[in-house]
């Protein structure tokens, strides 16, 4: 069944970096962008109007792609998300409906691991607080107690610090590799792939409870799923050392943010570095007023090169879906074997 002449086959929810658009253009594929202003997303209505007529939806992590929306996509050959995390997409519903979902893994691993370290160091050494003090002209004289933070390397205590990594996938492993330069002891937890941790030199597997109790720094690298929602709540924060710092560059709802505010205010833990929030872009009441947090606006993968490559990967998935081919990076590859997918392909592309 062909599309109405004026319907672009690819609908992109928001402006993506030029390399992705260029790839679509050079393949002769028309695409429409629903929202081109950088500081806002398309309305739910605009996405709802666009999906029934398009063949590929190229989404960002800011747009919910739920079952109801997917069900309206009678012409959809795939959803291509420009992000590695796809928690905004109902992947189970997509699979049931025969719709492949693409993402952009790997290319952003180093950039996100670097940002994780930037947050960890900034929180430990009070960098934003010291910067604000300096630019306000408050620096009068060097002092032995001026912004004394916490060591990340053994430092003055001579004791190697313990880094606890929750979720030992691509980014978790990249964060662990960087710890060697700080002579840290690295412990990690992941429920299913314990062998991966045990076969990594210099990294020790622990239970989550042990990790929380032992670590000076706890860094989260799990996807957001039902299992990881509020993985870190009251019990877990109370288990951490009062001197420990929590870093979250995974997804906001992995941490119970309201409880985290209490933990930081009441000294259950020493500090936090956050790139992501439970109700993004909003923050839990009180979070931004705390003196012991470093807060970033979800910029884990934000380097120019990496964002360009992510856009290209998303465009490559979109082009493959348009042709009825397997996307190079599909989060639900089992969909390709389903009757729902084969029937969808047959109905839309005619066999
Ligand atoms: P990945 O390679 O799939 O790694 C995720 C790891 O989490 C897997 O090894 C998985 O282990 C583990 N895991 C799953 N459930 C867990 C649980 N309950 N407890 C502990 N570990 C668990 O993904 P990635 O590429 O590293 O990305 C991780 C996440 O980072 C993404 O899903 C995304 O949400 C986030 N992210 C954020 C930014 C940012 O801008 N801040 C940038 C990129 C990614 P098993 O194999 O045992 O299941
Ligand atoms: C960013 O948060 C991603 O999941 O790619």
């Amino acid at each position: 069944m062909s599309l109405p002449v004026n319907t672009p086959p690819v609908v992109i929810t928001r402006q993506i970096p030029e390399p992705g658009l260029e790839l679509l253009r050079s393949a002769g594929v028309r695409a429409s962008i629903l929202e081109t202003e950088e500081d806002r997303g398309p309305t739910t209505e605009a996405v709802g109007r666009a999906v029934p007529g398009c063949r590929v939806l190229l989404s960002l992590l800011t747009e919910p792609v739920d079952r109801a929306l997917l069900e309206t996509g009678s012409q959809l050959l795939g959803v291509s998300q420009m992000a590695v995390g796809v928690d905004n997409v109902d992947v189970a519903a997509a699979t049931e409906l025969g719709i492949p979902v693409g993402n952009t893994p790997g290319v952003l691993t180093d950039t996100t691991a670097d940002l994780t370290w930037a947050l960890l160091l900034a929180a430990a050494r009070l960098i934003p607080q010291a910067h604000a003090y300096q630019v306000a002209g408050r620096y009068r004289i060097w002092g032995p107690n001026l912004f004394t933070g916490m060591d990340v390397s053994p430092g003055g205590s001579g004791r190697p610090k313990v880094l606890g990594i929750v979720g030992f996938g691509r980014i978790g492993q990249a964060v662990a590799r960087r710890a060697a330069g700080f002579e840290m002891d690295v412990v990690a937890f992941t429920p299913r792939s314990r062998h991966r941790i045990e076969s990594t030199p210099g990294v020790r597997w622990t239970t989550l409870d042990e990790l929380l109790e032992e670590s000076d720094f706890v860094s989260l690298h799990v996807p957001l799923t039902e299992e990881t929602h509020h993985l870190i709540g009251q019990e877990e924060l109370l288990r951490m050392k009062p001197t420990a710092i929590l870093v979250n560059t995974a997804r906001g709802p992995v941490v119970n943010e309201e409880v985290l505010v209490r933990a930081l205010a009441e000294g259950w833990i020493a500090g936090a570095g956050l790139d992501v929030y439970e109700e993004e872009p909003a923050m839990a009441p009180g979070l931004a007023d705390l003196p012991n947090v470093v807060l970033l606006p979800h910029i884990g993968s934000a380097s120019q090169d990496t964002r360009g490559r992510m856009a290209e990967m998303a465009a490559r998935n979109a082009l493959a879906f348009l042709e009825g081919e397997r996307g190079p990076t599909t989060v639900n590859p089992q969909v390709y074997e389903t009757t729902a997918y084969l029937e969808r392909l047959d109905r839309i592309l005619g066999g």
Side-chain angles (χ1 to χ4, degrees):
M1 185 182 173
S2 61
L3 291 173
V5 184
N6 290 324
T7 308
V10 177
V11 166
I12 307 177
T13 55
R14 294 173 55 201
Q15 190 77 42
I16 61 168
E18 183 53 27
L21 297 173
E22 176 53 31
L23 211 62
L24 295 173
R25 271 197 299 274
S26 59
V29 168
R30 284 183 308 125
S32 69
I33 302 171
L34 296 180
E35 179 56 71
T36 53
E37 292 293 326
E38 287 288 340
D39 62 351
R40 60 175 187 234
T43 60
T44 312
E45 293 71 34
V47 180
R49 274 195 305 275
V51 167
C54 78
R55 293 219 161 140
V56 174
L57 178 68
L58 199 157
S59 56
L60 301 191
L61 56 82
T62 41
E63 282 77 58
V65 181
D66 58 17
R67 177 181 288 273
L69 181 69
L70 290 165
E71 279 175 348
T72 67
S74 62
Q75 298 300 303
L76 262 188
L77 291 165
V79 172
S80 172
Q81 165 121 324
M82 195 193 113
V84 66
V86 289
D87 44 279
N88 58 312
V89 181
D90 188 337
V91 178
T95 308
E96 219 177 274
L97 293 163
I99 301 170
V101 177
N103 71 339
T104 61
V107 65
L108 45 58
T109 296
D110 282 333
T111 308
T112 309
D114 290 350
L115 193 277
T116 302
W117 273 95
L119 256 180
L120 189 155
L121 286 160
R125 296 298 301 275
L126 311 172
I127 304 290
Q129 296 89 330
H131 173 84
Y133 179 87
Q134 179 69 14
V135 298
R138 294 173 60 202
Y139 180 41
R140 299 271 181 259
I141 184 169
W142 180 88
N145 295 315
L146 195 57
F147 293 108
T148 49
M150 288 177 37
D151 279 315
V152 176
S153 56
S157 76
R159 178 181 72 81
K161 303 302 180 294
V162 180
L163 171 64
I165 298 180
V166 182
F168 203 65
R170 287 170 293 249
I171 298 170
Q173 291 173 68
V175 168
R177 285 195 292 277
R178 286 154 175 74
F182 293 93
E183 300 169 52
M184 295 176 109
D185 285 341
V186 182
V187 295
F189 168 73
T190 178
R192 284 164 292 275
S193 315
R194 182 173 170 168
H195 62 279
R196 189 183 304 141
I197 297 173
E198 289 176 336
S199 59
T200 305
V203 183
R204 186 163 50 87
W205 184 88
T206 61
T207 63
L208 181 58
D209 285 355
E210 285 164 348
L211 181 151
L212 295 167
E213 284 161 12
E214 282 182 35
S215 299
D216 297 297
F217 301 93
V218 173
S219 194
L220 308 177
H221 301 289
V222 296
L224 174 61
T225 61
E226 275 177 30
E227 182 192 37
T228 62
H229 183 262
H230 285 189
L231 184 68
I232 305 297
Q234 174 160 330
E235 193 189 320
E236 291 73 23
L237 289 162
L238 282 169
R239 228 174 246 288
M240 287 173 66
K241 293 182 185 181
T243 50
I245 288 176
L246 177 72
V247 178
N248 187 8
T249 59
R251 281 290 183 270
V254 173
V255 177
N256 183 331
E257 200 171 292
E258 211 179 291
V259 175
L260 176 65
V261 172
R262 261 182 64 210
L264 289 161
E266 296 174 11
W268 308 356
I269 63 171
L274 306 178
D275 186 40
V276 287
Y277 306 90
E278 226 183 315
E279 301 286 344
E280 216 162 296
M283 290 178 284
L287 182 65
D289 304 323
L290 292 167
N292 48 351
V293 290
V294 180
L295 306 174
L296 302 178
H298 201 150
I299 56 168
S301 64
S303 76
Q304 290 177 16
D305 287 344
T306 293
R307 286 286 163 80
R309 293 279 315 281
M310 288 166 68
E312 279 176 0
M313 280 178 89
R316 280 208 183 87
N317 276 326
L319 290 173
F321 295 153
L322 272 183
E323 295 297 316
E325 292 167 3
R326 291 173 180 235
T329 47
T330 310
V331 297
N332 57 345
Q334 71 277 23
V335 74
Y336 296 122
E337 315 304 332
T338 63
T339 312
Y341 172 73
L342 296 171
E343 282 179 0
R344 179 172 282 269
L345 226 59
D346 194 45
R347 176 170 51 76
I348 299 173
L349 296 178

